[in-house]
Amino acid sequence: MPIESLRPLTNKLHRLVGHHMRELTELAVERWEISPAETREVPPVILLPGQAERVTAVEFASREAVMASLPGDPAEHIPATMGYRLRDVDFVDGVLYAGSSELHLRRRSHLALPLRHPRRNLSGALYETWVGNRWFGNWLLDDCLSYRLAETTGRPVTSTPPRGGHVPRYEELLGMSPERIGDAHFDDLILFDDHHNNSGRIARAQDMRARLLKGRDPAPNPGIFLFRGGSGDARILENEAEIAENLQARYGFRVMFPEAHTVDELLDACGATRIVAGIEGSQLNHGLAVMPPGGTLLTMQPADRTTTAMKLLTDRWQQRFALLVGRGTARGFRIEWDEVQRTLDLIL
C-alpha cells in the first residue's frame, strides 16, 4: 500500500516558521542549456504622445516596469533557455512537490492540504505553466512552444484536462498528443525555464507559424479587427463597434468575432494581414500566432488595466506592438476615433 505524502504539510510548516523555500529547479540532478543567452534589440512600443500619462493602474507588473518597456532597448540581455531533470517528485492537486520545494501549476481544488500519495509512477517532460492553465493566449503562445522542447527530451505530459473551444484544433494542427495525468509520482521529471525571447524561442515561434499555415494560401489584407467577446475578464470598450465599423469602412479591415469562427477561418484571415487590432486580450492571439513578421498588433486598453505583457509575444513573433489607452475604467472606457487614426498613421 502506498503511504501518505506528507510533503504538502511539511512545506506549509516550513513556511510558517520562516524557512527559506528553495526553487524546485535548485533540486535538479541535471541541468543543461537549450538556447544560450544573448543580447538583442527590443523595439519600442508604438503610441501617441500623452498616452502613457493616462495610465492609472497596470496589470501583471509594476507601473515602473510597464513604463520602462515603452521605449524598448537597443541591447537587452536575454537569458538562456534551460532544461532541468528532477527525481522523486509528487504532483498532487495541481502542485509539484520535491523535497521541501513546490511549484504551483493550477489552483488547488481542495481547501485542505492533500495527504494522499500518488498511486501512479511515471517519467515525463512537463511543458505547462500556471499562466498557460489560466489564460488561453498563454497556453497557445507560451506552453505550445515549450511542448516542442518536451517532445525532444522525453514524454510530453500535462495535467491540463481536454479543453474545449479552439484548443483541440490547435493541438491537432501543431501535432500535440500529450499524456494527460492526474495525481502522479515522477521517478524522473523534466522541467523547462522557457520564458525568454532568445533566438531559439524565436525560431520555435516561426516554426509554429509555419505549422499553422501549412497548406494555406492566405490573401493579403490591410487588417483584422477581432472583437473581445463575452469571455474573460471585463474590459468594456463602449465604442468598440463604432471603431470596428470605421476600420472596416475607411481602411478595409475585416471584422471578426473569434467565438463565432473556427480556428481555420481565423488562420486563413490573419495569415497575411498587416495589422491585428482589438481590445487587449487572449482573442488577439489567434492573429498574433500567424501574422507575418513586421506586422503590428494594435491593442486598445483601459487606463486602469494597462499592460505590455503581449509585447513579449510580438517581440517573439518579430512583430510590432502598438498601444491605445482609453479614458475610463475596465468596466467602461472609450477611445476616440481620431486617436485610432493617428495611431494608424504611426503604424503605416
Side-chain angles (χ1 to χ4, degrees):
M1 288 290 292
I3 62 172
E4 294 178 338
S5 174
L6 296 179
R7 284 172 173 172
L9 179 59
T10 56
N11 283 10
K12 183 175 183 179
L13 292 175
H14 282 306
R15 288 193 298 270
L16 289 175
V17 299
H19 285 181
H20 171 68
M21 303 293 289
R22 299 171 67 189
E23 294 289 332
L24 201 68
T25 51
E26 294 181 49
L27 305 180
V29 297
E30 179 186 358
R31 64 191 65 212
W32 64 95
E33 185 178 81
I34 297 171
S35 298
E38 60 187 281
T39 299
R40 298 188 65 88
E41 179 180 0
V42 176
V45 174
I46 300 171
L47 77 169
L48 296 170
Q51 290 277 300
E53 288 72 18
R54 290 184 184 175
V55 176
T56 60
V58 302
E59 190 173 38
F60 306 126
S62 67
R63 192 178 194 281
E64 292 73 20
V66 169
M67 294 300 115
S69 70
L70 300 180
D73 190 332
E76 181 172 308
H77 173 71
I78 310 296
T81 299
M82 299 292 297
Y84 302 91
R85 184 183 303 275
L86 294 95
R87 301 270 167 78
D88 188 22
V89 181
D90 288 339
F91 179 75
V92 182
D93 195 20
V95 185
L96 290 169
Y97 297 96
S100 61
S101 300
E102 59 190 55
L103 177 64
H104 291 245
L105 295 176
R106 58 176 66 253
R107 292 184 186 275
R108 288 170 42 210
S109 60
H110 304 287
L111 293 178
L113 287 173
L115 295 178
R116 61 188 181 275
H117 185 88
R119 293 177 177 270
R120 187 180 183 195
N121 284 30
L122 70 157
S123 298
L126 196 66
Y127 62 92
E128 69 183 276
T129 60
W130 173 277
V131 293
N133 286 330
R134 171 67 176 82
W135 287 287
F136 160 76
N138 292 98
W139 171 83
L140 178 62
L141 299 186
D142 288 319
D143 292 3
C144 289
L145 290 189
S146 298
Y147 182 91
R148 303 271 79 97
L149 302 179
E151 69 180 357
T152 62
T153 54
R155 175 171 53 179
V157 295
T158 180
S159 71
T160 306
R163 297 163 86 159
H166 295 110
V167 169
R169 180 57 174 157
Y170 275 115
E171 288 187 327
E172 180 183 3
L173 291 171
L174 294 172
M176 297 172 63
S177 55
E179 180 176 357
R180 302 188 188 277
I181 62 169
D183 291 354
H185 175 81
F186 287 94
D187 296 320
D188 188 272
L189 175 67
I190 295 173
L191 299 176
F192 305 101
D193 177 359
D194 188 30
H195 299 96
H196 313 294
N197 289 337
N198 51 52
S199 295
R201 204 172 196 210
I202 289 172
R204 278 182 281 131
Q206 293 307 311
D207 173 73
M208 174 187 280
R209 181 173 185 271
R211 288 172 186 258
L212 293 176
L213 292 178
K214 184 178 180 180
R216 305 180 194 277
D217 185 22
N221 62 73
I224 304 289
F225 185 92
L226 297 176
F227 266 84
R228 168 73 177 152
S231 62
D233 300 330
R235 266 158 284 173
I236 302 171
L237 178 58
E238 294 173 346
N239 59 332
E240 182 181 16
E242 173 193 335
I243 290 173
E245 290 168 4
N246 280 329
L247 287 171
Q248 184 178 49
R250 303 188 186 195
Y251 290 88
F253 274 50
R254 181 177 177 183
V255 176
M256 302 182 75
F257 293 82
E259 294 171 341
H261 289 276
T262 67
V263 168
D264 296 273
E265 289 169 337
L266 291 164
L267 299 182
D268 288 338
C270 298
T273 192
R274 297 177 65 187
I275 300 172
V276 172
I279 302 171
E280 196 275 342
S282 285
Q283 87 283 359
L284 298 179
N285 290 286
H286 294 290
L288 197 156
V290 292
M291 180 170 56
T296 303
L297 182 70
L298 173 57
T299 65
M300 304 176 188
Q301 306 190 36
D304 67 338
R305 197 182 182 280
T306 303
T307 175
T308 53
M310 292 191 77
K311 187 179 185 299
L312 295 173
L313 304 176
T314 56
D315 290 346
R316 191 178 310 152
W317 261 258
Q318 299 180 301
Q319 300 153 349
R320 301 184 298 168
F321 181 86
L323 171 63
L324 272 163
V325 181
R327 299 184 186 277
T329 69
R331 292 289 176 180
F333 69 103
R334 294 183 62 85
I335 292 176
E336 300 305 321
W337 172 246
D338 172 67
E339 293 180 340
V340 177
Q341 286 184 299
R342 289 191 288 126
T343 303
L344 287 172
D345 289 341
L346 291 178
I347 293 171
L348 300 174

